[in-house]
Amino acid sequence: MAEFQGLYFNGKTSAGLPVSVTFLPTEFQLTSPTDADFLRIWDINLIGRNDFNDDELVELQYAASPPEYLEVKDPAFFGALKEKYPKAVFAGSRYGSLISGDPLPLLSVLAVFVLLVAGAYFWLIPKTAEIVAENLPVSAEVKLGQALIDGMLEAEEKDSVKTIYAQRFFNLLHASPQNGKVSVTVVKNSQANAFAVPGGHIVVYEPIIHLTDSYEEFAGLMAHENAHLQHRHSLKALFRNLSSYFLVSLLFGDVNGIMVVVAENANSLKSLEYNRELEKEADMTGLKLLEQKRIDPNGMVGLFSALKDQKGNLDLPEFLSTHPVLDSRIDYLKTEIASRKFQVQPNDSLQYYWQKLKGKSVE
């Protein structure tokens, strides 16, 4: 007759009583070597498993009132249970029963769980981050933008003279996003690029200035980047790209941590890619500004055409050099321009500052 040593808990106190466990045909017999009067009989039909470790510790629960418990730490105990009571519920592994029989229900649950996690990671968290960006106070965006621009320009060589000309050119457009003044910075770099930075900053690389053939084309570039600021596109894209970092920082209330993450990822804005919907919104908003200032809107078309034609001759950022939608952008801009009557008027002041940016002599 098999006998094992364990601890019995009566469900009323936390103290365990040393017991000897004897297997009978339809029940357990519990006696205590320290209490001669102690005797408990457990019906095997009322015994359940309460553990998740078959090898080291087996915990059994008896359906009494209050529930009673038995702990046996003996590697041979579980094997003896299975041999003596092979059909009893407690003789099987609790977690083993989960995968016994048809695995499809469990696999279905796991698949749904994985889809929910993936959906949260790839859609819900980024979407939430965009909503946060839309409602971010202007003061917070300005502070964020300053941290970004400081980190981005730290390793860049700024052209102070051309920065003045570009700023004056932009000011003549009377263009500014909802949060106020925009600062334009011209940087000496080999790439033909320009991008908007949250908080009211536009960075222009010299090669894209030289790519323009008229002040109208440069005005189209400025109007487009200003539209990204106006609609907070760069802020939304940044929050979306770094949403998982932001989530962790917000969960732990680490606002400074967010600023550190932003500063460390500042350079990502140089190659920030917007989806087609946001690019079209920026293009259309830019056209409205050109219309208001009576600047030839074909300048924006000319800029995109030049970027398309010069792919092999210029150092373009990867997202722009491989951009598949330049043709479609040119097409819908031409269609929009043809559908409206733009009043165009020469602007000598814009022409003057564009020529200074190009390094041309001004008569």
Side-chain angles (χ1 to χ4, degrees):
M1 184 179 296
E3 184 175 292
F4 295 89
Q5 305 303 311
L7 283 176
Y8 164 81
F9 298 87
N10 61 14
K12 300 176 182 178
T13 66
S14 60
L17 178 68
V19 294
S20 296
V21 183
T22 303
F23 294 162
L24 301 178
T26 60
E27 55 197 23
F28 284 10
Q29 177 179 285
L30 309 181
T31 57
S32 175
T34 61
D35 185 349
D37 297 327
F38 178 82
L39 174 65
R40 291 291 292 139
I41 302 297
W42 279 14
D43 186 331
I44 62 171
N45 294 314
L46 300 179
I47 301 174
R49 289 290 297 280
N50 197 46
D51 68 287
F52 283 87
N53 193 326
D54 294 336
D55 296 328
E56 296 182 2
L57 178 66
V58 175
E59 297 180 11
L60 301 177
Q61 178 178 331
Y62 189 64
S65 182
E68 300 172 5
Y69 300 91
L70 174 67
E71 293 183 358
V72 178
K73 192 170 185 179
D74 188 327
F77 184 66
F78 183 59
L81 280 178
K82 290 170 54 175
E83 182 180 352
K84 182 66 176 180
Y85 312 104
K87 296 182 180 181
V89 173
F90 57 81
S93 169
R94 285 187 65 187
Y95 54 80
S97 64
L98 290 174
I99 59 175
S100 61
D102 186 1
L104 287 179
L106 177 61
L107 292 177
S108 299
V109 171
L110 289 175
V112 171
F113 177 75
V114 170
L115 288 174
L116 288 174
V117 172
Y121 185 81
F122 291 107
W123 184 84
L124 182 60
I125 294 176
K127 188 63 178 178
T128 302
E130 286 190 25
I131 294 174
V132 172
E134 287 179 355
N135 295 279
L136 191 71
V138 171
S139 58
E141 183 183 353
V142 170
K143 185 177 180 181
L144 187 67
Q146 194 60 54
L148 280 166
I149 200 71
D150 289 345
M152 295 171 68
L153 298 182
E154 185 177 6
E156 300 282 9
E157 183 181 358
K158 177 181 175 181
D159 190 318
S160 300
V161 175
K162 289 189 177 181
T163 292
I164 294 174
Y165 295 145
Q167 185 69 62
R168 290 177 180 174
F169 186 101
F170 184 88
N171 292 344
L172 285 169
L173 291 175
H174 299 296
S176 62
Q178 296 175 349
N179 61 352
K181 183 180 178 182
V182 172
S183 296
V184 182
T185 303
V186 177
V187 170
K188 297 178 180 180
N189 194 292
S190 61
Q191 280 195 340
N193 196 12
F195 47 88
V197 180
H201 302 275
I202 295 176
V203 178
V204 180
Y205 286 174
E206 278 189 324
I208 203 167
I209 298 174
H210 298 309
L211 182 67
T212 60
D213 289 328
S214 66
Y215 77 83
E216 290 92 347
E217 291 185 5
F218 190 66
L221 175 67
M222 292 290 96
H224 176 86
E225 296 302 333
N226 179 70
H228 281 313
L229 291 176
Q230 183 177 339
H231 295 294
R232 284 184 154 181
H233 289 168
S234 54
L235 184 66
K236 294 175 186 177
L238 179 67
F239 270 49
R240 184 180 64 247
N241 289 357
L242 302 177
S243 56
S244 56
Y245 294 103
F246 288 154
L247 178 64
V248 172
S249 296
L250 289 172
L251 286 176
F252 288 95
D254 184 10
V255 178
N256 292 328
I258 295 177
M259 301 302 291
V260 171
V261 168
V262 167
E264 289 179 348
N265 291 272
N267 287 328
S268 65
L269 278 173
K270 297 178 183 179
S271 58
L272 198 61
E273 187 173 356
Y274 306 105
N275 61 39
R276 296 189 182 196
E277 181 182 349
L278 297 187
E279 288 287 16
K280 187 171 185 178
E281 184 177 31
D283 289 340
M284 292 301 151
T285 301
L287 276 183
K288 289 181 181 179
L289 177 60
L290 298 180
E291 182 179 23
Q292 292 169 5
K293 301 306 297 181
R294 296 191 175 185
I295 298 171
D296 188 351
N298 287 295
M300 188 178 289
V301 175
L303 173 68
F304 292 145
S305 297
L307 286 170
K308 175 188 171 185
D309 295 340
Q310 294 296 322
K311 282 181 182 179
N313 302 321
L314 286 175
D315 180 15
L316 298 175
E318 183 179 354
F319 81 96
L320 191 57
S321 63
T322 59
H323 211 297
V325 295
L326 276 176
D327 284 332
S328 66
R329 293 175 71 182
I330 292 170
D331 289 341
Y332 68 61
L333 282 171
K334 286 182 176 180
T335 300
E336 182 68 19
I337 292 170
S339 68
R340 294 155 57 185
K341 292 183 178 180
F342 285 83
Q343 300 294 323
V344 178
Q345 179 178 320
N347 191 311
D348 293 338
S349 296
L350 290 178
Q351 172 74 8
Y352 172 84
Y353 286 116
W354 174 75
Q355 287 182 310
K356 299 293 284 186
L357 282 167
K358 294 276 286 189
K360 295 182 177 182
S361 59
V362 181
E363 298 181 359

